[in-house]
Amino acid sequence: MSKTIAILAQGAMGAAVARRLAENGATVITCLAGRGAASRARAEAAGMVDGPLDRFATADVFLSVVPPDAAHVTAQDVLPYLVNDGKHVPYVDCNAVSPETVRRIAALAEASGSAFIDASIIGPPPKLGSTSTVFYASGETLEPMLDLGGYGLDVRPLDAGVGAASSLKMCYAGIAKGLTGLGAAMILAATREGAAGALMAEMERSQPEILGLLRTRIPDMMPKAYRWSGEMEEIAGFVGADEAATIYHGLAQLYERLAQDMRSTTTEADALERFFDLGQSR
């Protein structure tokens, strides 16, 4: 008998996870109330079934896949709907949040009676034929998440409590997305000072591996910068009140600025694109 999985929301990652589950025989339900046309289109393409939040009580498990700054409020909004005739639907937080944030969400789930699983997604939105996306899970009751391994997800348990999966995500994202932000900041600075061509030439000469990484990651980052800003703030809280936190607060401000640029003039987005064109033209 196939499982029913409830997912919020319908962004690039949430819709891709839903598609993977639906392609492997699961019924995926969501709630599109208040969502825009883009979310509705992604949900339809992914095979998600729309309905009221009340319907989530019929699911076998709930996955929260939302921007970091929406993780806590999503738990507050959804948990009351995960109870039906004494049944409490397990709550899985898959968001890029700090261990402190995830423990606050776990406390809400515990108070409501739902089992809680701390999960983290490492890799891009799942695509057909791709195996590059991994779901790590930690907590006391992992079976509801491990069961999704039978529906196309690569789920890997961590022998640790709530907070371990989120800690892994913070560390991994702090390196990968931190490097992307540092690269973007220096490329924009070089462009402002007329040194973009020289920077490209030197990167090609002495740092081709890093240049290749940035060439892929910076263009991919731009439409996601609005989400990465909140993630950097979560990482700042995770690393603590020291110099490292200052780095990630700064990266949060950078990503917020880039997000605003994408919504308006695309001046900085265009500058980043021109930088990588310099290398392609050689």
Side-chain angles (χ1 to χ4, degrees), residues 50 76 82-83 90 105 118 123 138 161 169 194 205 216 218 248 259:
D50 181 29
Q76 291 177 315
L82 300 185
V83 184
I105 297 171
D118 173 22
S138 65
K169 176 66 175 181
R205 185 190 73 82
T216 299
I218 288 178
Y248 289 101

Side-chain angles (χ1 to χ4, degrees), residues 53-64:
L53 286 175
D54 289 348
R55 189 177 179 186
F56 284 11
T58 67
D60 294 290
V61 64
F62 169 77
L63 306 184
S64 174

